Each structure stands twice: as structure tokens, then as C-alpha cells.
Amino acid sequence: PTVTTRSMAIPQALLAKWPFKKFDKRHESPPQNQIVFYGDSDIEFWDIESYFPGMGILNCGVKGSTMEHANQYGPQFLAKYAPRITLLVAGENDIANGASPVDVAAHFASFATAALDHDPAARLIYISTKPEPSTAALHAKYHDLDARIAAWAAERGPRVAVIDSFRPMLAPGGKEGDLRFFQKDGLHLSGEGYTLWASMVMPFLRDPAAAAAAAAAADGKA
């Protein structure tokens, strides 16, 4: 699928009230050139130090945020944090709010382009949508979004990695999300869900080339 971009700067009058100012207050003078996890509630609620001890990863997640938010706040985010690796989780809230996969993918492409252009050595990791039991009616759009992002990433080479979290989180039979990985609301991740995510993310932080090769081989067998 073809993916365009959406460049949308935030009006200065709105910056003071912007949701992502929440993590800016948490990290008033953050070190740059670090690993930063950026996105929605799946990031905010992740106890990153417990799953990635000693790695100095910064949590820049805000519940309810969207891919559009991530794109709009991108210039401020990149200027302040200048991450060497950005792990991005967003898009499901956009779809739930009625946005099309085309538009959400365009916001992703715009932010990702800016992140890669900001530092020639920077890398971006995107964790795909997940098979939330409470959002089954949206899963076709989730698949559409993930396919568009994966196609865009494949054209950009090894600096952009896409982690498929949808298939590994399916229950036996492959049709519904496995309840073990979700809280009782059927939406947010459980401890087991975060453990699974951490096991998928860590190889991309330690040896991205090997992780990408393994992911490609696994995808070919699917």
C-alpha cells in the first residue's frame, strides 16, 4: 500500500496544554542519545525499569494519545530527547476514534521520516497493533494499518523495524486475542502481555540486524 505523510505542527498556543507535556515534566532535563519509548497507554503503563533493568530507557507514554499526537509533537520530542532509538506504540486510539488506516499510516510516516532525518544514526522500532479482545470489530482496520506501516518500513531499510505483536498474542486457533495477555478490560496489557513484548523488543535493542533477520525468517514461515 502507498503511504503518504502528514506534516502537522502544533500551534504554539496549544503546546502548554498538549498531553505529551506530561512526560516532559517527568523528564525536565533528559539525557539525549538514549532509548526512548514513545506513545500511548501501552507505553505509559509499562514498568520499563523492571523489564529492561539498567538500560536507562525513558518512558514517554501518555494514555489516550494517538499516532496523530505523536506526529504533531514530533518536532518538540526530537529536539528535546534526540533519541538514538525510538520505540513507538500508537495507532489503535486513532482507529478507535474513527481515523482511517490511510491517515494513521501517513502520520506514522511523517514522524518516522523526521526521526530518521534528525540523526543519520537513529533507529525506529514500531510495535504493531494487538488483538485486543474488546476491539475485535476494529481488527480488520488494525491489519490494514500494520500492513501499510510494514510496507513503508521495508522501503527504508534496517533503520526501521516493525515488530508483529498481533500474531504472537492470539489464542490457540488464531482467531481471538489470548486473554492471558490482557487485563480484565480486554484492552490493556497484563503482566504476561508486557513480558511477551519485552521478549520481542530486547533483541532489537541488543542486536537489531540479527533480530530483523530472525523476524523476516519467521514471517516467511507464517
Side-chain angles (χ1 to χ4, degrees):
T2 300
V3 177
T4 58
T5 59
R6 297 282 190 279
S7 181
M8 297 179 66
I10 310 171
Q12 289 297 314
L14 295 181
L15 275 176
K17 299 180 180 179
W18 200 246
F20 285 176
K21 298 299 287 185
K22 180 177 182 179
F23 63 67
D24 274 344
K25 292 179 181 179
R26 192 185 313 150
H27 309 301
E28 290 192 5
S29 299
Q32 294 192 333
N33 199 37
Q34 302 295 305
I35 301 171
V36 180
F37 287 13
Y38 183 46
D40 58 25
S41 59
D42 287 328
I43 297 297
E44 182 175 9
F45 299 158
W46 201 344
D47 184 359
I48 291 175
E49 183 57 29
S50 294
Y51 288 91
F52 304 93
M55 296 185 69
I57 297 172
L58 299 178
N59 186 320
C60 290
V62 177
K63 64 181 180 180
S65 63
T66 64
M67 190 74 80
E68 182 176 2
H69 289 147
N71 180 27
Q72 289 178 316
Y73 199 63
Q76 288 76 22
F77 169 79
L78 294 170
K80 180 169 183 175
Y81 295 90
R84 61 185 173 88
I85 300 175
T86 302
L87 182 140
L88 176 63
V89 176
E92 293 168 345
N93 288 330
D94 305 69
I95 298 295
N97 292 339
S100 72
V102 172
D103 284 341
V104 183
H107 285 299
F108 167 85
S110 180
F111 171 76
T113 299
L116 298 179
D117 289 348
H118 188 80
D119 180 350
R123 294 193 289 114
L124 177 71
I125 301 168
Y126 167 73
I127 299 182
S128 78
T129 61
K130 56 194 188 295
E132 307 147 333
S134 66
T135 64
L138 301 176
H139 290 180
K141 291 184 178 179
Y142 284 5
H143 286 309
D144 188 351
L145 170 62
D146 289 336
R148 291 175 185 278
I149 289 177
W152 186 93
E155 295 177 352
R156 298 312 184 278
R159 293 177 62 201
V160 184
V162 175
I163 297 176
D164 175 16
S165 75
F166 200 98
R167 284 181 295 179
M169 303 188 87
L170 289 171
K175 294 183 178 180
E176 300 175 346
D178 192 324
L179 296 177
R180 294 178 302 144
F181 299 129
F182 298 91
Q183 296 183 26
K184 291 181 179 180
D185 62 7
L187 183 67
H188 295 98
L189 292 174
S190 65
E192 285 190 70
Y194 279 119
T195 297
L196 176 62
W197 269 24
S199 72
M200 294 189 292
V201 168
M202 185 64 85
F204 285 90
L205 301 181
R206 288 180 169 166
D207 189 343
D219 191 56
K221 295 177 182 178

